Amino acid sequence: MPQILRMPSEDELPRGPKRTFVSEMFTYFRAAGRPSPASIAAAASQGPQPDRVVVSRETVRRLLKGETTSTWPKVKVVHEVLCRMADRDPTWRRFADSSDYDEDNDTRTLREYIRDLWNDAVDGVEVDDGPPQLAPVPEPTPTPTPAPTGGWGGKAPSGGWGPPQQPLDDPWATGTPQKKTSSQQAYSDEPPF
């Protein structure tokens, strides 16, 4: 007769991200009525053909004992089987809407929450530490603007020529907008109000 799986003691699985992950998996395992690893593996193999992930009963046992974190597709399928056996939908919110229960208004689903815990267990990140932060993206250095060219031969203007002017009616001009005189205001894209 197979032995019923129990949550590992703190001596077997010390406190940390892996224990938090296993504890959450055990929540679904208990709600499902503590099914045998063989029945979980059999239910997992009955998924749709293209999406089927093969999970052995040994993988299920090792997941629930905290001996492995396995891969996300296998964890996902075991989690979904346990949710189905416990009459829970993996897309339900993990935490209630009540403000006294969840002060941060955590809107993650059961699947998103277990995936976050799985990632923490794989990375060895404590829940309180939060996910590892990426370094900020450096700001690009502005390219220097070339000196204005104009006149003949592409040289800098000398004397009264001045910098080249943008056409007054060019909406794509990159320079500062030119003020139109009253005789040039025949049509405006601006609304009259």
Side-chain angles (χ1 to χ4, degrees), residues 28 68-69 93 95-96 105 107 121 136 168 170 181 193:
Y28 304 108
T68 184
T69 52
R93 286 181 64 171
F95 298 103
N105 196 19
T107 59
L168 294 176
D170 184 6
T181 62
F193 46 89

Side-chain angles (χ1 to χ4, degrees), residues 2-24:
Q3 190 175 16
I4 294 177
L5 286 175
R6 291 186 174 85
M7 177 70 188
S9 68
E10 286 195 24
D11 291 335
E12 297 170 322
L13 186 61
R15 288 179 186 251
K18 189 181 276 190
R19 183 172 184 82
T20 306
F21 166 69
V22 171
S23 177
E24 184 70 14

Side-chain angles (χ1 to χ4, degrees), residues 4-64:
I4 294 177
L5 286 175
R6 291 186 174 85
M7 177 70 188
S9 68
E10 286 195 24
D11 291 335
E12 297 170 322
L13 186 61
R15 288 179 186 251
K18 189 181 276 190
R19 183 172 184 82
T20 306
F21 166 69
V22 171
S23 177
E24 184 70 14
M25 288 295 284
F26 250 85
T27 301
Y28 304 108
F29 178 68
R30 288 183 194 111
R34 295 182 185 261
S36 69
S39 65
I40 296 170
S45 69
Q46 295 177 4
Q49 189 69 8
D51 299 334
R52 186 180 316 169
V53 176
V54 178
V55 180
S56 70
R57 66 181 179 197
E58 183 62 16
T59 300
V60 173
R61 186 194 68 77
R62 292 181 68 216
L63 262 175
L64 293 171

